[in-house]
Amino acid sequence: MIAGITPSGNFTSDLDIPIKQSSYPLAMPSFGGYSGLPGAGGLAMGLAFLSDIQVFLFMEAVQGDRRTNVMQAPKLTMFNGQNANIIVAENQFFVTGVNVSTLINGNITFAPQVQAFPFGVYMNVQPLISADRRTVRLNIPVTLTNLVPGPVSLFPVVVPIFPSSSALSTNPGDPITFTQYIQQPVINTIAVQTTVSVPDGGTVLMGGIKRLSESRNEYGPPVLSKIPYLNRLFRNNSYGREAESLLIMVTPRIIIQEEEEFYQTGYKAPPNVNP
């Protein structure tokens, strides 16, 4: 039996093992009106083992929320100790450089370098089966990458081009400047690495990867919006906040080759008898 321990020192009855960050109240600022309650800030990562019925009820409850997106993860079959990767992302292309080359006739060509950046979830899974074939130890590093909201900054690269001089004149002409804009995307990355031991056929639910985006816009007349107290009548403020929480469910199942052969074909190999 696998069980967790509550803050009072007792064992839990639903096999939940909480992993929480309790150092936030120690770093609470003295001003700003923060509540200081546990879980009010910082990273709080939880872990729980669910049965098949609990997984079904959990998915039904999640699908009832219109703001929730449910992604069906693929099934992976691997050997004991093998690494497998799961990537759920979309590629966005950015111009990150330029190649300058000279042709045979002396002309200069500029070829932009386009690089693809995947934005999404990257997860690596490595299972290790116990000696009694009852539990599976999973090493699961998870990386979440996303493009920071807002316009992508541009960096200009100016290259002077000197035209070739004619046969009648020995002085070269004025240089011609060529400007190439290089994109500099700002990428936000959240990485979590954990190791859990899950019973065969059980489901581990991992949460705590949260991301919050907040923006504030202000607009008003040039002069009236700067006068203290009076600017409230001539200024408009808008706030936007978007929160995202990622939950990962992993269900390991141990496959024994002899048992699967018997279930599929009904044939059972005779035992090896040494003379």
Side-chain angles (χ1 to χ4, degrees):
M1 178 178 180
I2 302 176
I5 299 179
T6 61
S8 59
N10 301 324
F11 289 97
T12 59
S13 59
D14 53 357
L15 307 183
D16 289 349
I17 302 178
I19 304 175
K20 298 182 179 180
Q21 176 64 264
S22 59
S23 61
Y24 177 74
L26 301 178
M28 185 181 61
S30 58
F31 58 90
Y34 294 93
S35 60
L37 298 177
L43 176 64
M45 183 174 181
L47 183 147
F49 298 109
L50 305 179
S51 62
D52 294 340
I53 298 178
Q54 291 175 337
V55 171
F56 174 77
L57 296 177
F58 178 77
M59 296 299 294
E60 289 292 330
V62 169
Q63 292 178 359
D65 192 351
R66 297 182 178 179
R67 300 175 300 175
T68 303
N69 295 327
V70 178
M71 295 182 296
Q72 301 295 335
K75 295 182 179 180
L76 300 178
T77 303
M78 65 193 74
F79 293 99
N80 186 18
Q82 180 185 358
N83 284 322
N85 299 324
I86 298 176
I87 301 177
V88 182
E90 61 179 4
N91 293 329
Q92 295 188 16
F93 296 88
F94 297 94
V95 180
T96 58
V98 60
N99 291 327
V100 182
S101 60
T102 304
L103 301 179
I104 301 177
N105 55 3
N107 295 330
I108 300 177
T109 61
F110 297 86
Q113 296 180 357
V114 180
Q115 184 177 358
F117 291 88
F119 298 108
V121 181
Y122 174 83
M123 183 174 63
N124 180 271
V125 181
Q126 183 183 17
L128 292 176
I129 303 175
S130 61
D132 56 359
R133 297 181 180 180
R134 298 181 58 185
T135 60
V136 180
R137 188 178 65 181
L138 298 175
N139 183 19
I140 309 176
V142 182
T143 303
L144 178 63
T145 59
N146 189 27
L147 184 66
V148 174
V152 179
S153 60
L154 300 177
F155 181 77
V157 177
V158 181
V159 180
I161 302 175
F162 294 92
S164 60
S165 59
S166 61
L168 301 178
S169 177
T170 58
N171 296 327
D174 296 333
I176 301 175
T177 58
F178 175 79
T179 304
Q180 174 70 42
Y181 291 94
I182 307 300
Q183 293 177 312
Q184 296 179 337
V186 181
I187 301 175
N188 185 14
T189 302
I190 301 176
V192 177
Q193 183 175 1
T194 182
T195 302
V196 295
S197 181
V198 189
D200 181 20
T203 301
V204 57
L205 174 63
M206 297 179 295
I209 304 179
K210 301 178 181 180
R211 182 173 55 196
L212 177 64
S213 302
E214 185 175 2
S215 64
R216 178 180 181 273
N217 295 326
E218 177 181 337
Y219 182 77
V223 179
L224 298 178
S225 62
K226 304 300 180 181
I227 302 177
Y229 299 103
L230 187 62
N231 56 1
R232 300 180 180 179
L233 302 176
F234 302 94
R235 183 179 61 184
N236 294 324
N237 296 329
S238 63
Y239 298 89
R241 176 178 296 181
E242 181 181 2
E244 180 181 352
S245 180
L246 177 63
L247 300 177
I248 300 175
M249 292 190 301
V250 181
T251 304
R253 298 185 186 276
I254 301 175
I255 299 177
I256 302 175
Q257 184 176 358
E258 292 80 3
E259 295 180 357
E260 291 297 325
E261 291 179 354
F262 179 75
Y263 293 152
Q264 297 294 334
T265 62
Y267 172 76
K268 185 175 182 181
N272 295 329
V273 178
N274 295 327

